[in-house]
Amino acid sequence: MKKIFAFVLSFQIFAASVCFAAEESIEQKLADESLTAFLWVETSGEYRALCYQAYNTAKERMDEAVKKHKRKEKPLAVITDIDETLLNNIPGNQIYIGKDKSYFRKIWTQWCAAAVAEPMPGAVDCLKYAAKKKIEVFYVSNRSEKLELEGTKKNLARLGLPNVDDKHFLLKTAESSKMPRFEKVLKDYEVVIFMGDNIGDFPLNTEGKLKDERNSLVDNAQKDFGKKFIVFPNPIYGHWERALAENYQKLSPEQKENVRRNILKYWFPEE
């Protein structure tokens, strides 16, 4: 009887370990799929060129706004995201790829507090240009105001960016949507441009929308891109992924992999 019990117990442990290994391998597979994106951002000239292109466009829009601006009008401002719009978080992001949400939260907060993120190519020059033109910069980010404000201010001050004070930082408190924070700035300022790497960084009300509706909102605003909306390249993470399916964030690694694969369009040559 003892031998039978020992055999059953051993089989159960073996089966559990196989299931864990399978789950772990899918989790790792999802992480590995980001490797090319990380390499592209960290090493390619194309990534740098797109950043310079975006910042150059932003400066052109600033010049145009200053020329048209009249003294009695609202003061001019720029609204910008921080992560992957001003700061390159690649070293901090690579650590937690493939890890669970609790690990992500802890490490991300430590990364923000360290204040060691370097600027994206052209970021410092662009915002200093805004300050030179008397355009105020508002930092609207979904970094946590409670946990990450001080580290964020320290990081941006170290880089010499303008308007590093409480008035110009609107970080996340409760809701993820940036629309209320945009409206707060728009009440007293004429916003020249919005800058970001996520469609949620622009006043398009895309929060919580799935991919088709999200893309439709982008199509409807196509004339604003390159003019009032300046987008930065970020193939590593963003709300675009959670928009692939309902409750995507709550899916298992295997379900996420299936969503990714099934959503792609394939062409096969005729035999």
Side-chain angles (χ1 to χ4, degrees):
M1 188 70 177
K2 288 183 179 180
K3 289 183 178 180
I4 295 175
F5 176 77
F7 174 78
V8 171
L9 180 62
S10 297
F11 179 79
Q12 288 176 334
I13 293 173
F14 171 74
S17 65
V18 169
C19 290
F20 176 78
E23 182 77 6
E24 185 178 42
S25 66
I26 294 173
E27 188 75 64
Q28 187 59 49
K29 190 167 184 257
L30 289 175
D32 289 344
E33 287 173 3
S34 299
L35 180 60
T36 302
F38 274 107
L39 287 169
W40 184 78
V41 170
E42 196 164 4
T43 68
S44 75
E46 288 81 358
Y47 170 76
R48 300 181 69 82
L50 286 170
C51 292
Y52 288 130
Q53 178 175 269
Y55 290 124
N56 288 340
T57 301
K59 288 192 283 187
E60 289 178 2
R61 299 294 84 80
M62 292 179 203
D63 288 340
E64 292 173 2
V66 169
K67 286 180 181 178
K68 296 177 182 177
H69 189 251
K70 297 178 182 178
R71 285 188 180 182
K72 293 184 179 181
E73 295 176 336
K74 292 179 181 179
L76 301 179
V78 165
I79 290 180
T80 181
D81 177 49
I82 294 175
D83 300 307
E84 277 53 69
T85 299
L86 301 177
L87 297 182
N88 181 341
N89 296 290
I90 294 299
N93 282 328
Q94 290 176 144
I95 295 173
Y96 57 76
I97 283 295
K99 302 297 192 301
D100 63 33
K101 190 174 181 179
S102 62
Y103 184 90
F104 160 80
R105 180 74 267 168
K106 179 181 177 181
I107 295 299
W108 176 251
T109 297
Q110 290 176 350
W111 166 256
C112 293
V116 295
E118 292 301 322
M120 290 169 56
V124 175
D125 177 64
C126 180
L127 292 197
K128 284 185 175 181
Y129 190 81
K132 184 179 178 181
K133 295 285 182 179
K134 310 295 184 188
I135 300 173
E136 293 185 45
V137 179
F138 285 86
Y139 304 97
V140 182
S141 165
N142 274 348
R143 287 188 174 200
S144 167
E145 182 180 271
K146 180 180 178 180
L147 301 174
E148 293 145 8
L149 175 59
E150 293 309 312
T152 303
K153 287 164 61 179
K154 181 180 176 181
N155 203 150
L156 269 58
R158 177 178 67 81
L159 299 175
L161 297 180
N163 302 124
V164 180
D165 55 57
D166 289 339
K167 173 188 173 182
H168 292 87
F169 279 81
L170 289 84
L171 304 193
K172 180 181 175 181
T173 53
E175 61 178 329
S176 297
S177 173
K178 294 184 175 182
M179 291 300 296
R181 285 171 276 168
F182 292 157
E183 290 167 3
K184 184 177 180 180
V185 178
L186 287 165
K187 182 179 178 182
D188 299 314
Y189 290 85
E190 179 186 339
V191 177
V192 178
I193 50 171
F194 293 80
M195 302 198 302
D197 66 302
N198 191 325
I199 294 305
D201 297 329
F202 306 96
L204 296 175
N205 282 305
T206 59
E207 184 70 24
K209 304 288 195 303
L210 294 181
K211 66 177 183 65
D212 290 342
E213 188 175 359
R214 199 167 181 263
N215 290 342
S216 179
L217 290 169
V218 170
D219 292 341
N220 292 338
Q222 60 180 293
K223 293 181 180 179
D224 289 320
F225 292 99
K227 293 183 179 179
K228 194 164 186 175
F229 303 158
I230 309 296
V231 186
F232 292 81
N234 178 9
I236 296 171
Y237 69 90
H239 287 186
W240 62 268
E241 186 177 358
R242 68 177 64 176
L244 295 178
E246 194 76 45
N247 296 318
Y248 179 86
Q249 297 293 89
K250 296 181 180 180
L251 299 180
S252 69
E254 186 173 20
Q255 289 171 325
K256 288 181 179 178
E257 175 69 7
N258 287 335
V259 167
R260 290 185 181 189
R261 296 291 177 188
N262 292 334
I263 212 164
L264 295 174
K265 297 177 182 178
Y266 298 91
W267 175 86
F268 296 98
E270 295 182 7
E271 294 294 335

